[in-house]
Amino acid sequence: MDTTAPLHPDVAELAGLLGTWRGQGRGEYPTIDSFEYQEEVSFGHVGKPFLTYRQSTIRLDTGLPAHAEIGYLRGVGAGRLELVLAHPTGVAEIAEGTIEHLADPAGGLRLHLHSTQVARTTTAKRVDSLERRIDITGDTLHYDLSMAAVGEPHQHHLSATLHRQA
Amino acid sequence: MDTTAPLHPDVAELAGLLGTWRGQGRGEYPTIDSFEYQEEVSFGHVGKPFLTYRQSTIRLDTGLPAHAEIGYLRGVGAGRLELVLAHPTGVAEIAEGTIEHLADPAGGLRLHLHSTQVARTTTAKRVDSLERRIDITGDTLHYDLSMAAVGEPHQHHLSATLHRQA
């Protein structure tokens, strides 16, 4: 999906996300054993007012593919952004939130997104809400994800720290 | 996302979709001028009970990227499938439907999917329903997409014929 087209002005302030990121994370939830994972995230663009986003993880204990998700981040102006995401678990996520510029000499960026709609297929597990905080400082990306799912209240589920690949 | 893992049995009957497809299509809708496009579609897998799906088009008149969509097709047994899709226009689509095997010596497959939920961001254009018919005969894929959007009744929007790439 990447292109030689210039970055669209509506996503210019998201330029710090572009590239491929790798690192490790940890997941927890009351209904499952805690687990650790390797992750790869990529943000790209095609010159239109959105970034492409894809993510996949591998469980450290089994070496097998775990979660993945794929979609788009839309720049909509006034420091706001929208996320449209498909999960292979049968869940589609619409989230909206803010872009904040951190006072960091390396160029810090903080994204905070809350789901506004979580749609799902007949056979998918129930997910009621998702909240994502993503901090970027230079070539380091840290995120936290909280969710309400399978009848549990909204709470912390995932954190990971990733590094931009050269 | 592709892997050397064997295809998961839940998506075995979708094996005829795997690969990259290219061709041309035509779009129409009461609110816009008709248009023609080049399209590339890919289906892959990672050994789990879903196929990865991505699609992108280029307008024939301008040579510029037009639509794109990305997501997952889930095999859920009993000849049924589920689609979870993100559109960069701010729309997330959940669709469900049937897999039918056609009486064709080359191995025909017909998928018919109706949206069950169409979620969208604050700034997205309104889309109320999407219906997809996909026919595969050997290395030829033909699809028709109908939709209800921007206040118009459900009607034909896109058709394309694609060929599997070697």
Side-chain angles (χ1 to χ4, degrees):
Chain A
M1 281 287 281
D2 285 79
T3 179
T4 54
L7 193 59
H8 193 285
D10 289 359
V11 287
E13 61 179 334
L14 297 173
L17 292 172
L18 290 170
T20 296
W21 305 77
R22 292 202 190 108
Q24 289 194 9
R26 186 172 182 282
E28 58 186 353
Y29 213 66
T31 54
I32 53 171
D33 289 334
S34 297
F35 59 96
E36 291 185 298
Y37 56 91
Q38 269 195 298
E39 179 165 19
E40 181 173 303
V41 166
S42 290
F43 293 96
H45 80 100
V46 294
K48 300 188 87 172
F50 58 82
L51 300 188
T52 59
Y53 164 69
R54 62 184 166 79
Q55 183 261 26
S56 60
T57 66
I58 291 172
R59 286 278 294 242
L60 285 191
D61 54 358
T62 61
L64 293 174
H67 187 69
E69 57 193 32
I70 198 155
Y72 305 97
L73 260 183
R74 290 159 54 84
V76 293
R80 295 199 58 83
L81 80 170
E82 299 176 342
L83 176 68
V84 185
L85 213 52
H87 300 236
T89 49
V91 170
E93 175 183 354
I94 296 279
E96 305 196 10
T98 53
I99 307 166
E100 192 185 337
H101 295 275
L102 303 177
D104 188 289
L109 203 60
R110 172 169 291 169
L111 312 182
H112 190 188
L113 289 151
H114 285 268
S115 59
T116 55
Q117 293 175 76
V118 183
R120 53 187 205 275
T121 63
T122 303
T123 67
K125 281 190 188 163
R126 181 170 160 189
V127 177
D128 291 310
S129 63
L130 291 150
E131 178 184 1
R132 296 167 185 265
R133 291 172 188 271
I134 303 168
D135 276 5
I136 291 177
T137 310
D139 291 327
T140 301
L141 182 158
H142 179 83
Y143 73 81
D144 285 284
L145 182 146
S146 305
M147 72 173 178
V150 292
E152 296 290 329
H154 189 89
Q155 62 195 279
H156 187 264
H157 176 41
L158 304 171
S159 328
T161 301
L162 312 179
H163 302 283
R164 197 193 316 258
Q165 304 300 296
Chain B
M1 282 284 282
D2 285 79
T3 180
T4 54
L7 193 60
H8 193 285
D10 289 359
V11 286
E13 59 180 336
L14 297 173
L17 292 172
L18 290 170
T20 297
W21 305 76
R22 292 201 190 109
Q24 290 194 8
R26 186 173 182 280
E28 59 187 352
Y29 213 66
T31 55
I32 53 171
D33 290 334
S34 297
F35 59 96
E36 292 185 297
Y37 56 91
Q38 270 195 296
E39 179 165 17
E40 182 173 304
V41 166
S42 290
F43 293 96
H45 81 100
V46 293
K48 300 188 86 172
F50 58 84
L51 300 188
T52 59
Y53 164 70
R54 64 185 164 78
Q55 182 262 24
S56 60
T57 66
I58 291 172
R59 284 278 294 242
L60 284 192
D61 53 359
T62 62
L64 294 173
H67 186 69
E69 56 191 34
I70 198 155
Y72 304 98
L73 259 183
R74 290 160 53 84
V76 293
R80 296 199 56 84
L81 81 171
E82 299 176 341
L83 176 68
V84 186
L85 213 51
H87 300 236
T89 49
V91 169
E93 174 183 352
I94 297 278
E96 305 196 11
T98 52
I99 307 166
E100 193 185 334
H101 295 273
L102 303 178
D104 187 289
L109 203 58
R110 171 169 293 169
L111 312 182
H112 190 190
L113 289 150
H114 285 267
S115 58
T116 55
Q117 293 175 78
V118 183
R120 55 187 205 274
T121 64
T122 302
T123 68
K125 282 191 187 160
R126 181 169 159 192
V127 177
D128 291 309
S129 62
L130 291 149
E131 178 183 0
R132 296 166 185 267
R133 289 171 187 272
I134 303 167
D135 275 6
I136 291 175
T137 310
D139 291 328
T140 301
L141 182 158
H142 178 83
Y143 74 80
D144 285 283
L145 183 146
S146 306
M147 72 173 177
V150 294
E152 297 290 330
H154 189 90
Q155 63 196 279
H156 188 264
H157 176 42
L158 303 171
S159 328
T161 301
L162 312 178
H163 303 283
R164 198 191 319 256
Q165 304 300 296

